[in-house]
């Protein structure tokens, strides 16, 4: 659980940084993300608001650090889709992140404003 202080009302996406090699070990490549009081541009697979980010970090060199954006993999049946947009009011918010597989790990998380 992370506490965010949003400087201005607006739309945001979540960036996730990870080592591709770690994700390639047995498919350890998915996370759940949630900002409970955010408004999402479209519904998620579950009314709880949790977004399943599966298959992140893509294909390529195993020793690369790779940024990917939180996308609702489950909602679109695994097909490529646009990043999930979280609409937030200025002020404090809670961001929740959970891993799905035991070997999954993140090296950095970023909240990015959408212009």
């Amino acid at each position: 659980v992370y506490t965010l202080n949003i400087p201005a009302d607006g739309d945001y996406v979540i960036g996730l940084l990870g080592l591709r090699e770690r994700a390639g070990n047995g498919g350890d490549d998915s996370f759940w993300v949630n900002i409970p009081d955010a408004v999402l541009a479209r519904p998620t697979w579950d009314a709880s608001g949790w977004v399943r980010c599966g298959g992140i970090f893509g294909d390529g060199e195993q020793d690369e650090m790779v940024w990917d954006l939180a996308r609702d993999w489950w909602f679109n049946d695994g097909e490529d889709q646009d990043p999930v947009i979280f609409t937030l009011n200025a002020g404090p918010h809670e961001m929740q992140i959970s891993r799905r597989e035991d070997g999954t790990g993140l090296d950095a998380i970023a909240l990015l404003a959408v212009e």
Side-chain angles (χ1 to χ4, degrees):
V1 175
Y2 300 88
T3 300
L4 308 172
N5 189 15
I6 303 301
D9 294 354
D11 294 335
Y12 296 85
V13 294
I14 297 174
L16 307 168
L17 177 69
L19 180 63
R20 194 183 309 264
E21 178 178 87
R22 192 170 41 236
N25 292 333
D28 293 337
D29 62 355
S30 59
F31 299 87
W32 297 93
V33 298
N34 187 24
I35 302 176
D37 55 356
V39 174
L40 302 179
R42 60 185 169 89
T44 63
W45 74 279
D46 186 289
S48 70
W50 282 92
V51 175
R52 178 180 171 192
C53 307
I56 66 171
F57 309 136
D59 297 323
E61 296 298 320
Q62 291 294 303
D63 60 351
E64 287 183 303
M65 295 295 288
V66 179
W67 280 101
D68 205 347
L69 298 175
R71 302 167 198 276
D72 197 347
W73 184 86
W74 194 283
F75 184 77
N76 205 25
D77 201 22
E79 298 296 321
D80 288 340
Q81 67 263 216
D82 293 332
V84 173
I85 296 174
F86 298 83
T87 300
L88 299 166
N89 294 324
H93 296 270
E94 181 179 274
M95 178 173 53
Q96 305 164 341
I97 297 184
S98 180
R99 64 190 163 110
R100 187 165 168 255
E101 297 96 4
D102 288 341
T104 304
L106 287 173
D107 295 283
I109 304 163
L111 188 70
L112 309 165
V114 176
E115 295 189 22

